[in-house]
Amino acid sequence: MSRHFSHPPANRQWAAELFLPVALLLLALLTAAAYWPGLSGPFLFDDFSNLDALGQYGGVRDLETLRLFILGSHSGPTGRPLALLTFLLDSNTWPTDPRPFKVTNLALHLVNGTILFALTRQLLLLSGKLSTKRCTFSALLAAGAWLLHPFLVSTVLYVVQRMAMLSTLFVLMGLWGYTYGRLQLAEYPRRAYVWMSASLAGCTILAVLSKENGVLLPLLALILEFTLLGKHSSTRLNKRWSIIFLWIPATLPFAYIAYRTMNGSLVASFMNRSFDVWERLLTESRILFDYLGWWFYPRVHSPGLLIQNYPLSHSLFDPPVTILAVSEVVSLIMAAVLLHKKYPLFSLAILFFFAAHLLESGPLPLELYFEHRNYLPTIFLFLPLMAALSKPSARYRSLVIIGPAILMALALLTFQRASIWGDIERLADSWADSHPYSQRAQRYSALVAEA
């Protein structure tokens, strides 16, 4: 009597193996097409102060001029030498053509989206609530929504924000490497701790050398641990290792801020600002919800680079909306903490967003509002939605139809916004119309009109 074994048809197996690379390629092509009109745009504002050093010594042509360029910046406490080094991929002199810089930024954005997909898929598989196929589809949609969101156009097409993008690259690599090692901890503990240690230590250093908020990587790894990794892993982390590689690095930035607060230097650093520490923190609570509004209600015209004279919060009730914003921030964080076991993806998205904003939207004497500060914090915001669409209880057509429809809508908005960023006159007029009381916007529009 012959036995018959059931095998999937060869063509179906071939199609399944081909799906992922084809899907990633199509997503990359869609993102590139959406951003394409913006690649012809100009250098803007801080591009000049950071990149004119390319020609300061007759071009970067030898080791000495290379050293002067990458170590001579005052962009931040570290000088961000690694980010500066990548600008040499595009040119070694100044003035120069902005297009190669923007193309490299777009390529970096695509790389970040690919790593985000790999990390997100890893986390969804870990949760064990979805099939492998649904995890893959949900991760593609979540990463695609981030890649195609129009709110990130002002980061990708603003050349100098490669610093934020490169820092995000190393944070994503660090989180992926940490998660990969964490999943091997039960069977291969030595290999796992090597992976986790190298990922956290190495990628934190590289991220900080690109932009200082990369120092938040250990804290962000702790959020992964709190929401997903610790819950679904059968092996707990070694306490001594956790203290050395997670808890101490995660608290060091805030210990430094506390030290500056106690010795008075933090308050003194606000002397050149029109607001103090308290007013900044209150105002940022409103700005964070402004960011979330732009993220979940995307539009073609967003604030851009010339936000000036943002209305300050002087107290919890001045203006009255401040108390609502502060209450909502506290409520969201509390809900994310209390519900982390029942709704881990929601908790991850919320806690990650606020944690990644802690430095640039916290007590430091920085300007109040910048869109590019959302490049890293928003990476998981669409994940709960895409995972909900793919739950076994939901019809599969909801994932197959609604998810791609969201991506296409975001791609269209990004294309429209990138078209404005690719035309200096339209861009200047757009900012002037959006900010009629901003001296910066009106002055920039006048300068462009005269050119």
Side-chain angles (χ1 to χ4, degrees), residues 134 137 389-390 394-404:
R134 289 181 181 239
F137 212 145
L389 288 175
S390 62
R395 292 184 177 181
Y396 194 63
R397 71 178 62 176
S398 65
L399 181 67
V400 174
I401 297 174
I402 298 176

Side-chain angles (χ1 to χ4, degrees), residues 37-45 47-48 98 102 157 305-306 416-433 440-451:
L39 299 180
S40 58
F43 287 117
L44 297 163
F45 306 115
D47 290 341
F48 296 95
K102 294 176 186 283
L157 296 181
L305 306 181
L306 295 175
Q416 293 175 310
R417 193 176 182 205
S419 298
I420 296 173
W421 273 71
D423 186 328
I424 188 170
E425 293 182 358
R426 289 181 64 191
L427 185 62
D429 290 343
S430 173
W431 286 341
D433 292 341
R440 294 178 186 173
Q442 302 306 319
R443 187 183 304 118
Y444 185 70
S445 179
L447 289 172
V448 170
E450 292 174 1

Side-chain angles (χ1 to χ4, degrees), residues 32-361:
Y35 273 95
W36 193 262
L39 299 180
S40 58
F43 287 117
L44 297 163
F45 306 115
D46 290 348
D47 290 341
F48 296 95
S49 60
N50 283 275
L51 297 177
D52 63 356
L54 283 168
Q56 190 171 353
Y57 306 99
V60 179
R61 61 190 187 281
D62 52 32
L63 289 177
E64 179 59 18
T65 51
L66 174 65
R67 183 188 67 82
L68 291 171
F69 174 65
I70 66 173
L71 299 181
S73 173
H74 302 287
S75 297
T78 66
R80 305 173 186 178
L82 189 54
L84 290 176
L85 186 63
T86 67
F87 290 130
L88 294 173
L89 295 171
D90 309 307
S91 181
N92 67 339
T93 189
W94 186 266
T96 189
D97 181 9
R99 187 179 183 88
F101 292 83
K102 294 176 186 283
V103 170
T104 301
N105 274 20
L106 176 56
L108 180 58
H109 186 51
L110 293 174
V111 171
N112 285 342
T114 304
I115 300 174
L116 175 59
F117 159 75
L119 172 62
T120 302
R121 183 175 182 271
Q122 204 171 41
L123 294 174
L124 288 173
L125 288 170
L126 177 65
S127 68
K129 295 183 178 181
L130 301 174
S131 67
T132 300
K133 181 170 69 173
R134 289 181 181 239
C135 286
T136 300
F137 212 145
S138 298
L140 276 169
L141 294 175
W146 180 81
L147 272 173
L148 289 163
H149 202 288
F151 202 46
L152 302 183
V153 167
S154 59
T155 303
V156 178
L157 296 181
Y158 187 12
V159 171
V160 76
Q161 291 312 322
R162 185 179 303 176
M163 297 172 177
M165 298 174 67
L166 196 64
S167 180
T168 297
L169 168 68
F170 292 119
V171 170
L172 285 168
M173 289 176 61
L175 293 176
W176 182 88
Y178 174 79
T179 303
Y180 177 79
R182 186 70 171 88
L183 298 180
Q184 299 189 62
L185 189 59
E187 296 184 18
Y188 309 103
R190 180 174 298 180
R191 182 194 303 175
Y193 279 116
V194 169
W195 263 100
M196 292 188 294
S197 303
S199 297
L200 290 176
C203 290
T204 298
I205 293 171
L206 293 173
V208 169
L209 292 177
S210 303
K211 191 175 181 181
E212 291 76 17
N213 60 346
V215 76
L216 294 172
L217 172 55
L219 174 64
L220 301 177
L222 277 173
I223 290 174
L224 286 185
E225 190 69 35
F226 176 71
T227 55
L228 280 168
L229 298 179
K231 175 183 176 182
H232 294 285
S233 176
S234 59
T235 307
R236 292 186 177 183
L237 292 172
N238 177 275
K239 289 184 178 180
R240 183 177 298 178
W241 184 91
S242 297
I243 292 172
I244 294 173
F245 285 92
L246 287 171
W247 288 103
I248 291 178
T251 55
L252 277 178
F254 308 104
Y256 173 71
I257 292 173
Y259 168 76
R260 289 196 60 192
T261 302
M262 293 175 64
N263 68 15
S265 62
L266 183 64
V267 174
S269 64
F270 279 82
M271 295 297 293
N272 294 325
R273 294 294 184 189
S274 60
F275 47 85
D276 58 27
V277 181
W278 176 241
E279 289 173 327
R280 174 177 168 78
L281 290 173
L282 292 176
T283 306
E284 287 295 340
S285 68
R286 292 166 40 224
I287 290 174
L288 288 171
F289 273 92
D290 195 15
Y291 292 154
L292 288 172
W294 284 103
W295 190 258
F296 288 110
Y297 178 37
R299 286 147 278 177
V300 173
H301 298 283
S302 67
L305 306 181
L306 295 175
I307 286 284
Q308 191 178 18
N309 301 323
Y310 191 94
L312 289 173
S313 292
H314 301 288
S315 72
L316 286 171
F317 301 96
D318 180 17
V321 72
T322 306
I323 185 65
L324 295 177
V326 172
S327 300
E328 288 169 353
V329 169
V330 173
S331 298
L332 272 177
I333 294 174
M334 288 183 62
V337 171
L338 295 175
L339 298 174
H340 75 280
K341 292 184 179 179
K342 190 173 183 180
Y343 301 108
L345 296 180
F346 164 78
S347 295
L348 171 62
I350 295 300
L351 294 178
F352 195 98
F353 176 79
F354 287 114
H357 267 295
L358 277 172
L359 290 185
E360 291 185 299
S361 299

